[in-house]
């Protein structure tokens, strides 16, 4: 393996194998017989061993050292940059540590699920202590003297730093808190949707929603899963959703959210298929797509007007009229759970996790003190007490599977979505009229053109700046939220 | 890798990866989005490359040479025997030839499908010529001076030979032809089932049938596919079926057939999970299980009595009464298609293919002459002319995907099933009374105990002889068929 073409042929095989490994996870969440789990664990372990060997192969390192980037075009240089980054990160972590982490996260996930079901943080604490210790070891291996948290963050948002995210959150917090308080204290409170909405009809409408946001069913499919997700790249990008008969918005907005993720993957230039450029460039940019589909477009005045009409056709008369439906979709509510939070409060949930996980990785917060730290912070931020661990620090799976540094990318995605929507609204006149007809095509085409087709060609911040014509900043998101919720709550 | 335990740990990973590769095929036939095919081909290619590298790895060869079988118990020696056989077969075929065959069969399958749709053998002929040439090359590499056809056969039925199969077919042919002619010429002809049977109800009853034959849904699932198949080993064995609203027997007996294959895999001793012993030992023995479930049990007087009752409950009154239902299920019919043939004529279809493919591999029949050879042979064997290539030599996919030597294992399976049923009837008294209640448990437990649990521990012929208490022979199958069809046709 001496030339760029040989390297890319090797890489293409690795990418194909990674797709296979990803599809095993999809299968596990949607199709796998219940008692097949022990065998599946061995299958996944074997695939990971193959992938790890390919990603750390000495001949790969030799090729990366031998190939001169100067001889390559922009795409070639971007591919080299991404392969080099992955090679460096994978080889820096000792094999034994990587294997220990894989074993531990597999065990920790099971213990987390049990502890959550029992609302018993103490039962999860020992394995989380082991896990934080190993993650700090891994971070030290990756950081090479630099900041530990930043080293972990780099897996999800290349180039981002804890300090920069701290600044972002500091700028957001006071205005979000003020908006939240204003909404919850407003004289006018929107009515909530109530009723029973049959699951089968929800799934049918969910399919229609995915299609209306541009999801290509010839290259994907929609199934049910306990936790909605999008899976796969290139020609095979599958999404899942869930149904609750009393809460159809859960199904519809999960579907639109995952459609955003999936359309990003589906719309990447086919020239990048099974190459490092053939994936969304970072978790933050990925989340910007899922969020703008879900919120700025899906929860807009225009689109909810169309959705109200379609829901009445599908489910019959509802307790909320056309006039109140926009409010019902966007209504703020008290609650403990991040994934169920409204647009205004969502980022407050993320900030809490960001601060705590940074302290865990820095070593300034002990796992033993985590539950108390979470609970007192939650009360300070939200004004009411956490009632049980499953509503508190055991609610998310992330830490149990070793995802430290992942949470802030959710908020970064929201910030990016704010910037993109501002730029989009500047470019596309009278978008609301389209959305009132359930037509998202001008918006999604704009995103496809500006963001999605590029895959991993540009770095995340560079991509958003190119797309928007200005550097990413928090103001557009905050302005959008303030204007939207002032309208709903008549502030 | 120097010890048996190290070798088995390596092999376990290979087996797990092979399960993953197999599940890709299941996904492709049941779940895959239609336009994902080009990417899927690369994913499968990458998996095959990984598997081939592991199966021909020099360290595997060194371990096989270093480990002394004398130090091992019966299971250990059987594992060594199977790993050695696979290593020898895989390493004997030059890498370039193996790769060329993989590419060619992939291309040939597409061309076969097109040619079949157009009823145009000439369109398929050039690629089949290439394929036969490569298969002869492969056979020569495997045969090491021995018979070419036997070398190919060995992949599907270790230890079998063309000469021995020829003898088997020679013994079967005259009695099958006589029985066929007697049935078709009999004064009493059973009535055929007619009517419309909704697909959804068929699938519900198919699920019930699988369960009633012992299929474990906790370790499997039933989906629809164009061509029914069983897929996977160990803890995850999935089956498929199809529905035709005018022909519910197609769905039900495909389901029972695949259930036979799947139960074999599901019932192998768990101690053999992800080892070479953890699979059915040969195609012939596999087919013996699917056939005995489908025919000797599923198409028996007893079981069809139960099925008639259940079908009436599910579909309402039918045109065939309880008394005529056994005849309707087993009715002989003229036809071109092997997979739709009745029990009496099925093996005549196989004989035709066996003779032709043996000549193709021996080089005594040119591909250019294949269609004519097929058609004149068909007319001689069945008494009517082939009307189009899709009803003739283009009907089966086997040759297009390089499966030469596979067809005779279908008949070998029938012969084995005849032996097993004779032995079972000797052991289990009043089995028909069980089957009339839809209770197959004594029969399937007997098969599980005598055949299935052993996996690959014994060689095929040895296994059947142990199970039956006598060496495999054609007489029991022929006697069973003659008695059954004499009863139905009042001969």
């Amino acid at each position: 393996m001496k030339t760029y073409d040989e390297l890319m042929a090797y890489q293409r095989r690795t990418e194909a194998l990674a797709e296979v490994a990803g599809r095993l996870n999809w299968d596990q969440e949607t199709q796998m017989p219940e008692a097949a789990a022990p065998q599946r664990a061995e299958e996944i372990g074997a695939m990971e061993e193959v992938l790890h060997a390919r990603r750390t192969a000495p001949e790969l390192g030799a090729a990366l050292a031998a190939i001169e980037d100067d001889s390559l075009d922009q795409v070639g240089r971007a591919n080299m940059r991404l392969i080099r980054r992955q090679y460096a990160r994978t080889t820096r972590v000792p094999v034994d540590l990587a294997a220990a982490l894989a074993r531990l996260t597999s065990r920790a996930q099971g213990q987390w699920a049990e502890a959550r079901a029992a609302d018993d943080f103490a039962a999860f604490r020992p394995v989380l202590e082991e896990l934080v210790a190993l993650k700090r070891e891994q971070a030290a291996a990756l950081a090479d003297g630099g900041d530990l948290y930043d080293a972990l963050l780099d897996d999800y948002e290349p180039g981002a730093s804890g300090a920069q995210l701290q600044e972002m959150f500091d700028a957001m917090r006071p205005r979000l808190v003020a908006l939240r308080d204003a909404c919850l204290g407003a004289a006018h409170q929107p009515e909530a949707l109530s009723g029973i909405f049959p699951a089968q009809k929800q799934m049918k409408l969910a399919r229609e929603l995915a299609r209306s946001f541009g999801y290509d069913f010839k290259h994907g499919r929609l199934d049910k899963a306990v936790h909605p997700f999008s899976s796969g790249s290139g020609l095979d990008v599958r999404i899942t959703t869930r149904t609750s008969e009393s809460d159809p918005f859960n199904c519809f907005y999960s579907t639109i959210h995952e459609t955003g993720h999936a359309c990003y993957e589906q719309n990447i230039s086919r020239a990048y298929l099974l190459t490092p450029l053939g994936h969304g460039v970072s978790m933050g940019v990925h989340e910007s797509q899922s969020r703008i589909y879900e919120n700025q477009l899906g929860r807009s005045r225009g689109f909810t007007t169309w959705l109200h009409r379609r829901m009445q056709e599908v489910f019959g008369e509802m307790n909320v009229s056309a006039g109140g439906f926009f409010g019902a979709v966007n209504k703020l509510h008290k609650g403990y759970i991040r994934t169920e939070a409204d647009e205004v409060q969502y980022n407050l949930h993320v900030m809490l996790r960001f601060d705590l996980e940074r302290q865990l990785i820095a070593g300034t917060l002990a796992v033993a003190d985590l539950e108390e730290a979470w609970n007192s912070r939650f009360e300070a931020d939200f004004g009411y007490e956490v009632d049980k661990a499953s509503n508190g620090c055991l609610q998310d799976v992330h830490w149990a599977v070793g995802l430290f540094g992942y949470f802030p990318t959710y908020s970064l995605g929201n910030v990016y979505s704010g910037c993109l929507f501002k730029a989009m609204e500047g470019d596309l006149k009278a978008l609301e009229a389209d959305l009132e007809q359930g037509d998202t095509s001008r918006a999604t085409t704009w995103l496809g053109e500006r963001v999605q087709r590029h895959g991993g060609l540009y770095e995340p911040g560079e991509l958003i700046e190119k797309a928007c014509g200005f550097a990413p900043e928090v103001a557009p998101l905050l302005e959008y939220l303030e204007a939207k919720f002032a309208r709903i709550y008549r502030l």
Side-chain angles (χ1 to χ4, degrees), chain A:
Chain A
M1 187 155 64
K2 288 204 178 66
T3 67
Y4 173 76
D5 288 348
E6 287 168 348
L7 173 68
M8 289 306 289
Y10 178 88
Q11 181 68 25
R12 197 173 180 89
R13 292 288 170 141
T14 308
E15 300 272 347
L17 293 168
E19 288 298 310
V20 173
R23 203 150 308 108
L24 278 187
N25 285 317
W26 172 85
D27 182 88
Q28 185 163 340
E29 301 300 325
T30 62
Q31 312 289 335
M32 189 183 82
E34 58 175 282
Q39 179 171 323
R40 178 55 56 92
E42 295 204 48
E43 292 168 8
I44 289 175
M47 286 301 295
E48 280 175 0
E49 191 180 271
V50 167
L51 284 164
H52 189 267
R54 290 186 70 90
R55 287 171 175 156
T56 57
E59 63 264 38
L60 174 60
L64 289 172
I67 296 165
E68 305 217 354
D69 290 22
D70 294 350
S71 63
L72 304 172
D73 63 6
Q74 184 191 20
V75 166
R77 287 195 304 274
N79 274 321
M80 290 297 290
R81 175 169 53 77
L82 294 176
I83 301 174
R84 283 213 173 88
R85 180 187 290 156
Q86 185 172 57
Y87 179 75
R89 290 188 67 79
T90 317
T91 50
R92 266 185 206 155
V93 180
V95 177
D96 291 349
L97 176 56
L101 262 167
R103 279 194 306 272
L104 187 61
T105 50
S106 165
R107 181 155 62 86
Q109 190 173 357
Q111 293 190 11
W112 164 79
E114 283 172 29
R116 188 172 83 144
D119 278 312
D120 181 7
F121 177 72
F124 182 51
R125 181 188 142 180
V127 73
L128 185 59
E129 277 171 347
E130 281 183 74
L131 191 46
V132 169
L134 282 195
K135 288 300 290 187
R136 296 185 70 210
E137 250 188 82
Q138 182 196 29
L142 292 167
D144 203 19
D147 183 82
L148 297 189
Y149 187 75
D150 289 357
L152 297 177
L153 195 52
D154 209 47
D155 263 343
Y156 315 115
E157 199 64 24
S161 73
Q164 167 207 339
L165 291 166
Q166 184 68 61
E167 209 178 305
M168 175 184 90
F169 284 128
D170 288 347
M172 293 168 82
R173 171 184 289 280
R175 284 170 69 177
L176 289 177
V177 168
L179 181 58
R180 190 255 321 263
D181 293 348
C183 291
L184 290 178
H188 171 74
Q189 291 292 323
E191 199 177 355
L193 183 71
S194 64
I196 292 298
F197 303 83
Q200 227 173 344
K201 289 184 175 179
Q202 286 190 39
M203 286 303 289
K204 198 157 169 275
L205 186 45
R207 240 166 261 282
E208 185 181 338
L209 286 167
R211 205 172 269 116
S212 76
F213 274 87
Y215 182 70
D216 175 1
F217 277 93
K218 286 204 300 297
H219 291 106
R221 50 181 290 135
L222 173 64
D223 295 87
K224 275 200 193 188
V226 176
H227 302 287
F229 63 97
S230 163
S231 162
S233 295
L235 306 184
D236 194 346
V237 188
R238 307 181 184 187
I239 56 176
T240 62
T241 189
R242 61 182 162 199
T243 54
S244 150
E245 297 214 324
S246 62
D247 181 9
F249 293 151
N250 192 317
C251 171
F252 299 152
Y253 286 98
S254 292
T255 301
I256 299 173
H257 181 97
E258 301 309 332
T259 295
H261 283 301
C263 285
Y264 186 6
E265 295 292 332
Q266 285 187 334
N267 292 334
I268 293 172
S269 166
R270 286 287 149 81
Y272 305 158
L273 184 70
L274 295 177
T275 75
L277 301 191
H279 310 277
V281 70
S282 73
M283 294 300 134
V285 177
H286 240 298
E287 200 70 10
S288 79
Q289 301 305 292
S290 58
R291 290 281 163 181
I292 198 169
Y293 278 56
E294 177 188 353
N295 291 332
Q296 281 91 345
L297 300 174
R299 288 195 169 94
S300 66
R301 172 87 204 188
F303 194 78
T304 56
T305 302
W306 177 84
L307 182 61
H308 182 264
R309 211 160 55 230
R310 278 302 289 137
M311 281 184 69
Q312 265 191 331
E313 286 164 10
V314 171
F315 300 107
E317 205 58 46
M318 293 181 289
N319 72 310
V320 179
S321 68
F325 195 74
F326 178 46
V329 166
N330 288 286
K331 189 176 169 55
L332 268 68
H333 46 266
K334 292 193 170 187
Y336 302 104
I337 304 295
R338 174 185 58 82
T339 58
E340 297 170 1
D342 50 76
E343 275 185 88
V344 175
Q345 298 183 86
Y346 185 88
N347 296 298
L348 299 172
H349 287 273
V350 175
M351 290 176 204
L352 181 159
R353 287 156 181 75
F354 169 70
D355 288 341
L356 295 181
E357 71 177 14
R358 252 180 117 195
Q359 292 170 42
L360 286 172
I361 295 301
T364 55
L365 173 65
V367 170
D369 301 325
L370 176 64
E371 186 172 29
E372 207 195 304
W374 179 295
N375 290 347
S376 59
R377 170 68 184 267
F378 187 89
E379 197 180 347
D381 282 4
F382 292 88
Y384 43 95
E385 279 181 42
V386 172
D387 59 344
K388 52 188 181 184
S390 58
N391 278 337
C393 64
L394 288 182
Q395 71 180 263
D396 296 304
V397 72
H398 298 58
W399 292 338
V401 292
L403 296 176
F404 290 83
Y406 195 107
F407 282 122
T409 67
Y410 292 134
S411 288
L412 195 58
N414 284 329
V415 167
Y416 287 161
S417 75
C419 298
L420 290 165
F421 191 61
K422 181 181 172 177
M424 182 197 289
E425 281 199 307
D427 281 357
L428 307 178
K429 299 306 167 200
L431 190 57
E432 191 164 308
D434 289 19
L435 297 176
E436 274 175 20
Q437 303 306 317
D439 178 3
T440 69
S441 60
R442 280 201 297 149
T444 53
T445 302
W446 190 94
L447 289 165
E449 187 59 30
R450 299 290 182 103
V451 177
Q452 297 169 358
R453 72 183 170 95
H454 297 300
L457 188 61
Y458 305 111
E459 292 284 6
E462 185 189 2
L463 174 67
I464 299 297
E465 182 161 353
K466 269 181 179 290
C468 297
F470 56 86
E473 48 172 348
V474 298
L477 175 69
L478 297 170
E479 285 157 15
Y480 149 78
L481 289 172
E482 285 161 352
K484 174 174 178 176
F485 286 90
R487 188 172 174 185
I488 293 169
Y489 282 88
R490 305 180 187 164
L491 302 178

